[in-house]
């Protein structure tokens, strides 16, 4: 059976518990027509204390303009209402609680000072059917908006950064997180439609890193190569591009971020550069998820939280490492050691990069001693070549064998 959304609303009115008159019909109408469950209190202090002690349980408050504040049968004024409003507003740091004033005092409805002080859109006349209808509709709409906004506040640190990269992406993550917190609000929720957009948000993180050259240009030829970006950030060889970050054992992202990135990359790998999947790709992904995920709604929620974690980590790292020259220096090129026909005392490094900015060489004696000839190496650093071969090979390179690393289990 489909779970319906319901709303818990505190109603403070000195006549709310009367067996006849307005109260019984109002309570029933709220429940049957609007799914609003009223919790009636005769005293404002009693109702507000309950709200303060269990804020998460309640969604809104209906106040009486003139009612009993803290003691029954005491002459009523608006003083208690204003104090109640102040107490409700002080709860905003925990939860935003919308409030409304439902009054039978016609004189207050005609008072400009009163409507200005409370807000005309918050005041409703108890004996006007249209006012009651509008009150209950407003409660529904405001609570729905508040619940989504509350989720946004929970994850504001990450959502604000995701939205800054792409506004639509912020709403996508909010959709997933809102459905996680309030599943009954999304009876037709299809998790499958969100896997691919998560990859897109991963791409936006990579583009932000590329702006400061934490990821090199080679990863962004024609279109972004997400897999090579992940490998580069993880300190692996970006083998298709001939680059890596720093030397052996050096990396940008820690292992837990690496694991999250590859998980998002691999599960949403169909049509990765499109924000909306065509029907054929949806069917393929549905089959995979049906066979391996069993229609679980938890995986997409887990991955949305991972995107939040990745975005927070990446944005902080980018802020702390924004010097382009330093980041470019850490991009190391690798290639294969080849003997020089022209200069017998040197070998040169034949690049596998698409763009080769320098011609590097190393001493033949060193290459032979280390058994590097014909093997792949990574350039860790270099110095000027002042010898006779300088015109052909202006830089001497310090290298490290990639094949040796591979045998040791390092990529």
């Amino acid at each position: 059976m489909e779970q319906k959304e319901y709303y818990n609303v505190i109603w403070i009115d000195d006549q709310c518990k009367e067996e006849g008159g307005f109260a019984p019909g109002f309570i029933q109408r709220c429940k049957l027509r609007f799914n609003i469950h009223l919790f009636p209190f005769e005293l404002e202090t009693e109702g507000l204390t309950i709200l303060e002690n269990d804020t998460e349980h309640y969604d809104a408050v209906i106040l009486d303009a003139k009612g009993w504040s803290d003691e029954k049968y005491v002459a009523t004024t608006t003083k208690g209402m204003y104090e109640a409003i102040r107490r409700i507003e002080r709860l905003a740091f925990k939860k935003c609680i919308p409030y409304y004033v439902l009054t039978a005092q016609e004189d207050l409805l005609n008072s400009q000072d009163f409507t200005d002080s409370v807000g005309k859109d918050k005041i409703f006349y108890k004996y006007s059917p249209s006012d009651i209808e509008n009150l209950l509709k407003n409660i529904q709409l405001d609570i729905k908006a508040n619940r989504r906004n509350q989720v946004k506040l929970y994850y504001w640190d990450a959502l604000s950064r995701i939205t800054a990269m792409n506004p639509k992406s912020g709403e996508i993550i909010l959709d997933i997180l809102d459905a996680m917190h309030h599943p009954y609000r999304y009876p037709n929720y299809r998790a499958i439609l969100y896997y691919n957009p998560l990859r897109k948000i991963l791409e936006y993180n990579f583009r932000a890193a590329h702006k400061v050259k934490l990821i090199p240009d080679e990863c962004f030829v024609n279109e972004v190569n997400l897999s090579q970006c992940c490998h580069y950030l993880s300190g692996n060889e970006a083998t298709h591009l001939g680059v890596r970050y720093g030397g052996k054992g050096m990396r940008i992202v820690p292992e837990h971020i690496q694991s999250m990135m590859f998980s998002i990359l691999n599960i949403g790998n169909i049509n990765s550069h499109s924000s909306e999947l065509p029907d054929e790709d949806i069917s393929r992904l549905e089959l995979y998820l049906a066979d391996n995920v069993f229609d679980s709604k938890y995986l997409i929620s887990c991955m949305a939280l991972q995107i939040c974690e990745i975005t927070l980590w990446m944005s902080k790292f980018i802020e702390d490492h924004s010097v382009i020259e330093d980041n470019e220096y850490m991009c190391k090129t690798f290639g294969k050691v080849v003997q020089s026909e022209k200069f017998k005392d040197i070998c040169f490094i034949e690049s596998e990069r698409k763009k080769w900015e320098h011609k590097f060489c190393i001493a033949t004696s060193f290459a032979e001693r280390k058994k590097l000839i014909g093997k792949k190496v990574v350039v860790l650093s270099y110095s000027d070549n002042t010898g006779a071969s300088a015109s052909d090979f202006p830089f001497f390179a310090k290298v490290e064998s990639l094949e040796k690393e591979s045998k040791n289990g390092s990529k």
Side-chain angles (χ1 to χ4, degrees), residues 98-347:
Y99 60 86
Y100 313 86
V101 176
L102 181 61
T103 182
Q105 309 294 325
E106 288 190 83
D107 59 319
L108 292 178
L109 295 172
N110 297 321
S111 168
Q112 187 71 39
D113 290 341
F114 180 74
T115 56
D116 286 347
S117 63
V118 177
K120 189 174 182 180
D121 60 334
K122 292 183 174 293
I123 302 171
F124 301 87
Y125 184 46
K126 184 182 284 188
Y127 300 114
S128 166
S130 62
D131 268 22
I132 296 298
E133 187 79 5
N134 289 334
L135 167 64
L136 301 182
K137 287 181 179 178
N138 285 359
I139 288 175
Q140 281 189 329
L141 293 173
D142 290 346
I143 291 174
K144 285 180 179 179
N146 261 20
R147 285 180 177 176
R148 188 171 174 89
N149 287 335
Q150 198 69 47
V151 173
K152 186 183 292 187
L153 287 175
Y154 291 155
Y155 304 98
W156 178 248
D157 52 354
L159 282 172
S160 60
R161 295 176 184 271
I162 293 171
T163 300
M165 292 189 296
N166 180 269
K168 186 177 179 181
S169 294
E171 290 302 312
I172 286 170
I173 295 298
L174 187 55
D175 283 347
I176 299 171
L177 297 176
D178 197 18
M180 180 179 73
H181 284 274
H182 308 115
Y184 48 84
R185 293 185 58 191
Y186 295 85
N188 301 316
Y189 180 69
R190 296 185 69 196
I192 190 171
L193 299 179
Y194 291 94
Y195 288 102
N196 188 259
L198 292 184
R199 278 177 63 109
K200 201 68 180 176
I201 300 172
L202 190 62
E203 177 185 332
Y204 294 137
N205 275 280
F206 292 165
R207 290 191 179 279
H210 175 236
K211 287 181 179 178
V212 296
K213 305 304 180 184
L214 279 168
I215 301 178
D217 293 338
E218 284 81 358
C219 293
F220 291 83
V221 177
N222 298 324
E223 62 182 16
V224 58
N225 190 318
L226 299 182
S227 176
Q228 295 293 281
C229 287
C230 285
H231 280 295
Y232 184 85
L233 291 170
S234 304
N236 301 333
E237 301 169 28
T239 52
H240 298 308
L241 308 173
V243 292
R244 67 178 289 172
Y245 179 80
K248 181 180 177 180
M250 299 184 70
R251 56 166 57 233
I252 292 177
V253 301
E255 290 186 3
H256 73 283
I257 297 294
Q258 172 187 336
S259 178
M260 293 176 190
M261 291 192 309
F262 278 109
S263 175
I264 291 167
L265 187 67
N266 293 331
I267 292 178
N269 64 357
I270 297 175
N271 200 12
S272 65
H273 297 289
S274 174
S275 59
E276 296 184 7
L277 294 178
D279 292 340
E280 181 182 352
D281 285 341
I282 289 176
S283 298
R284 288 168 56 204
L285 189 53
E286 279 180 333
L287 287 174
Y288 173 82
L289 295 175
D291 291 341
N292 298 281
V293 184
F294 311 118
D295 198 31
S296 167
K297 295 180 180 178
Y298 301 112
L299 178 61
I300 193 66
S301 300
C302 175
M303 291 175 66
L305 292 172
Q306 288 179 340
I307 273 288
C308 289
E309 187 68 25
I310 290 168
T311 301
L312 284 173
W313 194 95
M314 287 293 294
S315 59
K316 180 67 166 62
F317 192 87
I318 290 169
E319 289 172 1
D320 293 342
H321 301 79
S322 58
V323 180
I324 292 176
E325 293 78 10
D326 292 347
N327 297 332
E328 287 181 326
Y329 174 76
M330 293 303 295
C331 177
K332 306 303 180 183
T333 303
F334 57 87
K336 185 166 63 175
V337 177
V338 179
Q339 285 183 306
S340 170
E341 294 297 327
K342 184 177 180 180
F343 302 99
K344 298 301 182 181
D345 60 333
I346 69 163
C347 290

